[in-house]
Amino acid sequence: MAIPTEPIGSIPRPSQLLTMMSAYASGEVSDAELADAHDVAVADTVRRLEAVGSPVVTDGEQSKPSFATYPIAGLAGLAPDGVVIPFADGHQRQLPVLTKGPFRYQARAAQYFTAAAPHATVPVKQAVIAPSALSLLYPQAGIAGYSREQFLADLADEAEADIRGPLEAGAHVVQLDFTEGRLSLKLDPSGGVLDDFIALNNRVLERFTDDERARIGVHTCPGGDQDSTHSLDVDYADLLPKLFRLKAGNFYVQLASEADPERVLSAIAEHLPADTRVFVGVTDPIDPRVETAEEVRDRVLTAARHLPVDRLGTCDDCGFSPFADDTSTSREIAFAKIAARVEGTALAAKQLGLAP
């Protein structure tokens, strides 16, 4: 497409899959039965994304327990009382905490890519969790015999392998989910935690060549879970200068739900590195109202007033159901919003003279 457009990652799971996941948790279905249900949901997700014209598809994260915790599902040496993430509506998510080393991923993103790719006739992207998010697993009190420095070294190795797997398998792009970036400024307004996050992520990204980094992206948003966010009140102006220090070729920036998108676009234009592309959010997954194609078109045209069109793309603000138990948005609404994004982006490209 003249202006590329991509989904972020998660799509609400079909009710049949949610029922199977619940039955699996209670021991009523087998591993094989759950795997079959995952395969059916992935195939349907890819088919429906292609049906609404999406030029790039994902697996919809149908078989992930969450966008953040898929690498550690089943990991021994975890306790439940980790970092708490508070959302604006009062609900919380809580990460586990590591109790022993060495740290190793239990699942890798390549398995999700290879499950989706056979069903697709268009390029497939793969979302992975940024290593900075998983760095929160290490307890402040430390772990006897397993230093934080060794944990971070192990984490960097595991994160590199998680990115490299789908890249080498042929993924169109691998996207690091970095929602904790904006959240870090809420937890630590001094920016010290954000600096640590950027340094750790770059420690991994620097292991890739320029050509490989051209196929690696970073997604930022204020969180999206159960129709609420954890850091929408944090000023983007404090995040973007440091975000764009990440050594990636693509950035996916939540924008549709911003109160003053033109101010954010001005900041993007000021700080966006050369030879990178920015995908701006033009649909809001936690708003139940489906945007019209014309609204999306106008949001793209606004972005094009600030950014070079040859470095502009569009996306959804966030994934639609980043946690498997989030049913606040229906599958039908998600695909309707994606269809509006695709159509509206094409309308904008035509109006800008980039497409017939």
Side-chain angles (χ1 to χ4, degrees), residues 4-66:
T5 188
E6 297 180 8
I8 288 299
S10 67
I11 301 293
R13 284 79 172 166
S15 58
Q16 299 93 324
L17 176 57
L18 293 173
T19 298
M20 288 292 287
M21 292 170 67
S22 177
Y24 179 78
S26 60
E28 298 172 32
V29 301
S30 67
D31 290 346
E33 289 172 316
L34 181 63
D36 286 344
H38 284 153
D39 289 343
V40 170
V42 168
D44 183 67
T45 298
V46 171
R47 178 188 63 79
R48 294 186 67 174
L49 284 170
E50 292 195 7
V52 298
S54 184
V56 174
V57 300
T58 76
D59 71 332
E61 300 190 311
Q62 301 294 283
S63 54
K64 287 182 180 178
S66 83

Side-chain angles (χ1 to χ4, degrees), residues 124-145:
V124 180
K125 75 182 289 186
Q126 181 58 55
V128 304
I129 188 62
S132 51
L134 295 178
S135 71
L136 296 171
L137 298 175
Y138 193 84
Q140 288 188 343
I143 298 174

Side-chain angles (χ1 to χ4, degrees), residues 2-4 236 240 243-244 250-256 260-282 298-315 348-349 352 354:
I3 299 177
Y236 249 145
L240 292 175
L243 174 78
F244 290 135
N250 304 281
F251 291 91
Y252 302 84
V253 179
Q254 162 267 343
L255 188 63
D260 189 353
E262 296 224 36
R263 180 171 176 268
V264 177
L265 286 164
S266 294
I268 293 173
E270 179 181 357
H271 297 289
L272 186 67
D275 302 321
T276 58
R277 183 183 295 275
V278 60
F279 292 75
V280 297
V282 292
D298 292 345
R299 289 171 178 174
V300 180
L301 294 176
T302 297
R305 292 200 298 269
H306 295 265
L307 301 166
V309 292
D310 62 342
R311 298 169 63 195
L312 177 63
T314 67
C315 60
L352 290 166
L354 302 174

Side-chain angles (χ1 to χ4, degrees), residues 151-226:
F151 164 73
L152 292 177
D154 289 342
L155 172 57
D157 289 345
E158 294 295 293
E160 177 192 357
D162 202 38
I163 298 167
R164 196 171 294 282
L167 275 183
E168 294 182 347
H172 168 68
V173 68
V174 174
Q175 170 194 289
L176 277 68
D177 287 323
F178 186 47
T179 183
E180 69 279 6
R182 199 165 177 180
L183 176 64
S184 73
L185 289 170
K186 188 170 189 175
L187 303 177
D188 174 25
S190 75
V193 172
L194 177 59
D195 288 338
D196 290 344
F197 282 171
I198 297 293
L200 174 59
N201 290 338
N202 273 339
R203 179 176 176 179
V204 174
L205 292 170
E206 287 166 353
R207 301 181 182 190
F208 294 88
T209 67
D210 289 344
D211 286 345
E212 289 169 333
R213 285 197 291 267
R215 294 168 54 210
I216 297 175
V218 176
H219 170 236
T220 182
C221 75
D225 180 45
Q226 298 180 13

